[in-house]
């Protein structure tokens, strides 16, 4: 809560200072999923192809999806 | 309660150590604990808020020293003893020594598993109009309930902006103590980092909580 940028760094995610950070503290029964950004090289991919790039961390906001061609 | 579980903003726990390829369960007993908690909840022995409250009331050194599912197990044991479903002597012995107490619903078979593992629905009909709307400035009340609450300590007394209205939902504070569902409006409230953590806070950070209407006052 106090140092989300530092927590992201623990997960190996370093964001530029100009990138805003939003933290959702899940204090009720609502659960939030992050919609991962489409990685470069995946333009025009189908939903099924994109699903191959999605990781757990990319949907909880602590990582990026895989990039096309990278080992899974 | 102002318990050890409410640790937002606390220092000193060290770095997060992500576990690569983390398995669903680290031991078979963890899956059994998950199944027992879900089954007893579905059987009507307790609601989700009461089970959370029992985990929060574990002694602080036990809470901090226990894994996720260990806390689930210890909270379940205390809860079932208090509700009279098992005796402490039975837990110590590791088996039943008295006739089973009847449950409201259940027992379950394998065919019930999928239904039981689906989380319940918490939305309820509203009995009064919402007091706040998106864009309203609100202050989190400086309250310190000694029982279960979803209002984190780090927002109390601070001003944020309502961002979203989630409708009326079961109020965990009363549900946890058996005082009823008492549905309340629920809002996402956004706070600036500096409002919560002072002038040295990262200016690019915003923090949201989901806050029930009784936690809030107009600001």
């Amino acid at each position: 809560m106090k140092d989300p940028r530092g927590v992201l760094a623990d997960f190996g995610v370093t964001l530029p200072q100009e990138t805003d950070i939003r933290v959702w503290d899940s204090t009720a029964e609502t659960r939030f999923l992050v919609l991962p950004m489409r990685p470069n090289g995946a333009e025009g991919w189908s939903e099924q192809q994109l699903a191959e790039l999605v990781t757990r961390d990319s949907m909880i906001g602590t990582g990026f999806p895989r990039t096309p061609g990278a080992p899974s | 309660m102002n318990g050890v579980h409410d640790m937002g903003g606390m220092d000193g726990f060290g770095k997060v150590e992500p576990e690569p390829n983390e398995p669903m369960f680290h031991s078979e007993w963890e899956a059994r604990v998950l199944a027992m908690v879900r089954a007893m909840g579905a059987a009507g022995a307790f609601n989700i808020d009461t089970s959370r409250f029992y985990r929060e009331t574990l002694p602080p050194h036990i809470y901090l020293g226990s894994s996720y599912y260990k806390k689930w197990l210890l909270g379940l044991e205390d809860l079932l003893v208090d509700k009279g479903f098992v005796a402490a002597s039975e837990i110590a012995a590791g088996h039943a020594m008295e006739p089973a107490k009847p449950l409201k619903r259940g027992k379950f078979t394998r065919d019930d598993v999928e239904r039981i593992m689906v989380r319940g629905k918490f939305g309820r009909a509203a009995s009064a109009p919402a007091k706040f709307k998106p864009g309203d400035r609100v202050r989190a009340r400086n309250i310190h309930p000694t029982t279960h609450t979803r209002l984190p300590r780090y927002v109390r007394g601070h001003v944020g902006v309502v961002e979203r209205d989630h409708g009326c939902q079961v109020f965990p504070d009363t549900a946890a103590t058996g005082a009823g569902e008492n549905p309340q409006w629920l809002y996402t409230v956004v706070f600036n980092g500096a409002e919560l953590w002072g002038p040295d806070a990262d200016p690019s950070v915003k923090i949201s909580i989901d806050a029930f209407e009784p936690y809030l006052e107009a600001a």
Side-chain angles (χ1 to χ4, degrees), chain A residues 1-5 7 9-12 16-32 56-57, chain B residues 8-9 11 15-16 18 22 48-49 52 119 122 150 152 154 163 166 186 190 197 202 204-210 212:
Chain A
M1 292 303 146
K2 202 170 65 172
D3 180 24
R5 210 173 276 278
V7 171
D10 290 349
F11 280 92
Q17 193 60 39
E18 59 269 23
T19 301
D20 288 344
I21 296 183
R22 292 285 313 261
V23 182
W24 269 265
D25 195 354
S26 184
T27 53
E29 301 307 331
T30 312
R31 295 291 172 266
F32 298 94
R56 183 197 71 165
D57 284 357
Chain B
D11 295 315
K15 285 166 70 106
V16 179
E22 185 181 0
I48 191 171
D49 303 298
R52 287 200 168 112
R119 284 165 55 87
F122 299 89
R150 302 295 183 80
Y154 67 84
E163 183 175 67
H166 291 285
L186 179 67
V190 189
W197 309 117
D202 185 335
S204 64
V205 169
K206 286 184 164 59
I207 294 119
S208 314
I209 64 160
D210 285 339
F212 292 89

Side-chain angles (χ1 to χ4, degrees), chain B residues 70-89:
Chain B
K70 185 72 184 288
K71 285 194 272 283
W72 275 46
L73 172 64
L74 297 174
L76 178 67
E77 287 179 356
D78 289 348
L79 180 45
L80 294 182
V81 169
D82 282 358
K83 297 268 185 186
F85 287 104
V86 294
S89 56

Side-chain angles (χ1 to χ4, degrees), chain A residues 1 14 21 25 29 33 36-37 43 50 54 61 63-65 71-72:
Chain A
M1 292 303 146
T14 307
I21 296 183
D25 195 354
E29 301 307 331
L33 296 178
M37 279 194 297
E43 292 77 14
L50 289 170
V54 173
F64 295 104
S72 56

Side-chain angles (χ1 to χ4, degrees), chain B residues 78-152:
Chain B
D78 289 348
L79 180 45
L80 294 182
V81 169
D82 282 358
K83 297 268 185 186
F85 287 104
V86 294
S89 56
E90 293 177 298
I91 288 173
H95 57 82
M97 302 193 313
E98 293 166 35
K101 191 174 168 179
L103 293 159
K104 271 191 234 166
R105 297 181 290 274
K107 61 188 183 184
F108 302 118
T109 68
R110 202 173 274 253
D111 292 338
D112 298 305
V113 169
E114 198 170 322
R115 173 176 62 82
I116 288 165
M117 291 306 289
V118 173
R119 284 165 55 87
K121 288 185 165 37
F122 299 89
R124 296 292 183 270
S127 58
K131 274 191 194 148
F132 306 111
K133 60 182 187 307
D136 285 356
R137 276 167 53 88
V138 288
R139 183 184 301 277
R141 290 178 190 273
N142 182 21
I143 50 173
H144 298 265
T146 55
T147 49
H148 183 69
T149 186
R150 302 295 183 80
L151 182 64

